[in-house]
Amino acid sequence: MKKFLLPLAVAAVGVYSLLPFLWFVLASWKSPAQLTAIPPVVVPDFHWGFYRSAIVNYGLLGYIKNSAIVAAATTIVSIAIGALAAYALTRFHAAWLRWYLLVLLCVSMFPQIAVAGPVWRILDALGWLNRYPGIIVAYISFSLPLAIWILSTFFKELPYEIEEAALVDGCTRAQALRRIVLPLAAPGIFTAAILVFIYAWNEFFFALIILTSPPLQTLPVGIALFPGEYTIPWGELAAASTIATLPLIALTLLFQRRIVRGLSAGAAKG
Amino acid sequence: MNRADRAAVWFALPSLFLVALFSIYPICDSVRLSFYRMILMLPWLGEKFVGLENYADLVIDPVALVSLGVTLLFVGVSAALEVSIGAGMALLLNESFRGRGFVRAAVLVPWAIPTVVSSQMWRYIFNDRYGLFNFLLFGRDTSRYLAPLAEPWLARAAIIFADMWKTSSFAALIILAGLQTIPDELYEAAEVDGASAWQKLRRITLPLVKPALLLALLFRTIDAFKIFDLVFVMTQGGPADATNVLQFYGYKKVFAEGMIGYGSAISVGVFLISLALALLYIKLIGARVLEPGAAR
Amino acid sequence: MKPWPALLLLPLLFSSVHAADIRFVTWRDTQGFLDRLIAEFEAQNPDLKILRDVGPHSSTEFHDLLAQKFKNRDRAMDVFFMDVIWPAEFASAGWALPLDRFFPRDAQKQFLPAAIRANTYGGAIYGVPLFIDAGLLYYRKDLLQKYHFPAPRTWPELVEQAKTIVAGEKDAGLTGFSGQFKQYEGLVCDMMEYILSNNGALWDEARLSGALRSAAAEEAVRFVRDRIIGEISHRGVLAYQEPESLALFSEGRAVFHRNWPYAWAEANDGSKSKIAGRVGMTPLPAFSGGASAAALGGWQLGISRYSRQPELAWRFVEFMTRAETQKRVALWTGRGMAREAVYRDAEVLEKYPQFRTQLEISTRAVPRPSTPVYVPLSNIMQRYFSAAISARDSDIDRLARHADREMDRVLDLLRPRAAR
């Protein structure tokens, strides 16, 4: 029974996740006449013009480069800072720590549009508008609540005995974090990293108002610039989304192996 | 204990600083503004302190009330569907089978596509003449084609589906990581004891994956309140405000209409409602999550 | 060979040590004319360099970007594009600089009057028009010829023609009309064309109140709900903006189509359109007793009040809007320009004969309410129109009354204190 259900479930999940996107990818190969054909056509003409146009006329690769830099920097720093905070939250007993998590949650609940003005002013005062550090620091701050919550949840589940033993043996807290907690919490860390990366990769609103100079604009802003006043270049949009999603798929394939199964089985028994 | 407390501060300081500067201060500023009447294009009216007047106007504003209803509908249905589907996907991906890596990558594709792209993609798919949606349902028979974005309930369903498509991956990923931390031995021991698959699910998986489930539900709910891009691109809040979620209404007030005070009040309103829901979850499902400290 | 590339060498001769930067907030130019013009300007003005801040072309998103910058008193902004509905708002908010000293009345006379009106607020002018858009009616020339119909002059005539043609063609995929009826700014444009051509109005400017409750306005709205959408369009038009509605027409699926001038080139582009060469263009119909009313659209250039160098900024604005430049942009892009002379230029007319019709229509184009609170008013109207036309049994009178009340509340904010 299971043998039959499993492939079916896999197929269902695959179709659900990929069909809309594949339809769009298909659109990227259609000729201009086919894009809005009524009724829709399934087999494209294998027209590569949209890819050429997206790269040459719309500067797609520049946007991808900027997004990659911003997202990578955001992820690394956010996870680092987040891990420190998560460690504090799960290994110490100070009363205020309890409130910190709640504050982080509350902060993430506030609609972003409301904080746009002050954030812009702060970055302007720092001279960081239209510069990488500006957007990166903003993204780090906004992704911290998510990162810290995920990391805390995972750090908390880890058995404490090994650390205790190490501390007794003279290890410092920082060393304990680095050598014991981080490796054991790898699934949580890579999960948090992927989600932060994708957040930074996809974020649009702040990128729009902070990065207005074309050489610095990230992918979501770049793509929002594709439509003309009354025209939507479906072909180029489809081509751009195909190109833009490939690095993320590659990254995911790479990282998903790190989410290792059967964690801490031996460690728990200690 | 003092030394430990100080150490805790050092560990938490970097995040505290950034969050305080970029989130807490702007939010406080926004809350402050909600007590003022400030209309950008009419500067001669000045910035007048009006106390709770914006909030009073908000609770009787028919558009806001409809918005609230629409938003709660979206949040409730979205979050429930996303976490359920996410959990299903996570359970599947937890099994070992050939090509699992690719299926994991496939599951992440919806989440990885920027919303500026996916919202246009859904607008393209839900079009009433050349869209995939109608093509899948009715093939080439255009006379039976529907107009999902033109009918109130279909438009709501379309937006919920588009949102769900993207974010069930998020839920799946978190729940999957939670599933991965459950040690194999527990399952092996249960099998030795003769437990069925269902019993293993109920007795071992579910309790141990609860923190991850709650995390997914919590964040999905919070994010569902912030739905914006999809509404902006697909329906602009229409038809006839059928998909006018609070966040979109607030955005129109602040940015388009320049009614800063009122728009800020809407943001605070959204925040308070999300907070209420979050606290409800935490109380119902797991108060443990908020407690710091391990030492078990 | 064109001379201007050689001029690019000039900056090498003059050191750019004294170059001043002019920051220009614009949308991405998909047709390539901005790049050319800016290069030319910099060549002719070696002491100036244009730095672009680029935002989305969509009017609402571009407005967000500008609002953000102005709200925070961004000093790094000199020249910016303005949609035709913003000058009053930007003037009132103190964001746009009054340009009278640069752009006096006799200079203004060379531009289409409706555009100048839209840029004027409180007796001063706040923007220099560059592009002009006006709503017009496209139709299938071949189909109308086949049934011996002249282009319709009244809306009821259009409906009858559409019904006859659709019935006669026996093509299940053919529909009568394609327009923009989604709940967005474009809905106000489409609806005002019906209301104003029935001698109705959107607002009473003198009394500062809404005018949607008049019999004429309500009749027009009812006509759209029952006859345009009810009888000759797909329900889908309720979710259409310009791209979707044009796609329907270009696929040969609609007899009539309401859109802006840009659609002419798109509908006649053989690589994208199935009806290239079979398209007619004419002023929008009216109701009997009324006159055709085209909604005015377009973009103008403004100078920021926070700019540190308005004189230099003006040099750029003047360059972009001078007669010679406007003519060249028209030739390059086929877009409707704001200077009347462009439409009468022989070279332009040879390349784009439809400019004759476009001038006729643009001269009579009507701007949307010019008031600092236009956007809140527009949101109220969008809400009303969408509710009125999307439900077959909507109570139009009640909805109109409610919309007027809301509009009155917003317009009340404009009354001087004493009167309140």
Side-chain angles (χ1 to χ4, degrees), chain B residues 28-260:
Chain B
C28 291
D29 190 58
S30 201
V31 174
R32 179 187 68 87
L33 283 173
S34 72
F35 297 119
Y36 284 78
R37 184 188 60 185
M38 185 173 141
I39 303 178
L40 280 185
M41 36 287 281
L42 305 177
W44 68 75
L45 289 178
E47 233 180 273
K48 189 171 144 212
F49 180 76
V50 290
L52 290 175
E53 195 181 294
N54 284 326
Y55 292 97
D57 285 340
L58 190 58
V59 293
I60 56 171
D61 179 359
V63 181
L65 292 174
V66 168
S67 269
L68 180 61
V70 173
T71 310
L72 287 176
L73 172 76
F74 276 19
V75 170
V77 175
S78 280
L81 284 175
E82 287 155 17
V83 174
S84 316
I85 294 184
M89 294 203 281
L91 281 171
L92 177 70
L93 293 175
N94 203 26
E95 302 287 326
S96 15
F97 55 87
R98 280 226 326 247
R100 180 170 68 168
F102 284 102
V103 183
R104 279 188 182 159
V107 159
L108 258 186
V109 162
W111 184 253
I113 300 179
T115 355
V116 287
V117 171
S118 65
S119 35
Q120 296 285 10
M121 178 186 82
W122 285 111
R123 181 175 167 188
Y124 184 62
I125 289 178
F126 280 122
N127 179 277
D128 71 317
R129 295 288 115 191
Y130 50 75
L132 177 65
F133 173 74
N134 276 313
F135 189 61
L136 284 178
L137 283 180
F138 302 112
R140 301 181 61 85
D141 184 4
T142 58
S143 63
R144 292 171 61 196
Y145 277 13
L146 299 169
L149 301 181
E151 307 293 341
W153 280 102
L154 284 181
R156 291 175 181 143
I159 295 204
I160 289 179
F161 185 80
D163 187 52
M164 181 177 92
W165 181 78
K166 181 181 171 68
T167 53
S168 23
S169 326
F170 173 89
L173 202 59
I174 293 190
I175 299 174
L176 176 65
L179 285 173
Q180 299 274 264
T181 59
I182 301 176
D184 277 337
E185 293 81 33
L186 290 176
Y187 290 115
E188 284 160 22
E191 265 188 34
V192 162
D193 284 348
S196 73
W198 176 244
Q199 281 172 322
K200 275 193 277 183
L201 187 71
R202 250 194 68 207
R203 293 282 178 78
I204 302 174
T205 315
L206 231 44
L208 289 179
V209 90
K210 228 160 68 153
L213 267 176
L214 172 66
L215 196 65
L217 195 61
L218 202 57
F219 274 95
R220 277 322 315 145
T221 307
I222 291 174
D223 277 351
F225 269 102
K226 302 198 241 161
I227 265 191
F228 178 78
D229 285 321
L230 287 171
V231 172
F232 185 90
V233 172
M234 285 164 77
T235 59
Q236 286 274 305
D241 275 356
T243 55
N244 188 26
V245 292
L246 267 177
Q247 171 82 320
F248 190 67
Y249 187 47
Y251 149 83
K252 280 208 275 204
K253 283 289 167 190
V254 170
F255 282 91
E257 302 186 20
M259 309 227 168
I260 308 282

Side-chain angles (χ1 to χ4, degrees), chain C residues 365-412:
Chain C
V366 185
R368 278 154 278 174
S370 178
T371 160
V373 292
Y374 174 68
V375 179
L377 291 182
S378 172
N379 284 334
I380 295 169
M381 287 192 281
Q382 290 171 38
R383 196 162 285 134
Y384 159 61
F385 290 139
S386 185
I389 63 177
S390 58
R392 286 172 244 253
D393 55 356
S394 57
D395 184 346
I396 293 185
D397 190 56
R398 185 180 61 85
L399 291 168
R401 237 182 307 139
H402 182 77
D404 267 356
R405 255 204 319 267
E406 292 295 308
M407 282 173 65
D408 289 350
R409 270 184 61 200
V410 171
L411 287 165
D412 267 348

Side-chain angles (χ1 to χ4, degrees), chain C residues 60-76:
Chain C
T60 4
E61 286 171 276
F62 196 69
H63 182 272
D64 293 348
L65 184 64
L66 285 177
Q68 198 57 235
K69 285 175 168 295
F70 280 125
K71 194 164 72 174
N72 296 309
R73 309 218 172 109
D74 189 0
R75 309 225 87 192

Side-chain angles (χ1 to χ4, degrees), chain A residues 10 30 57 61 94-95 100 104 120 170 198 231 237 256 258 270:
Chain A
V10 170
K30 291 184 177 167
N57 296 351
L61 296 179
Y100 190 37
L104 284 177
W120 194 97
I198 293 181
T231 51
L237 273 175
Q256 63 84 27
R258 305 294 191 118

Side-chain angles (χ1 to χ4, degrees), chain A residues 234-251:
Chain A
W234 294 115
E236 281 88 347
L237 273 175
S241 57
T242 312
I243 298 179
T245 314
L246 287 177
L248 285 167
I249 297 184
L251 217 71

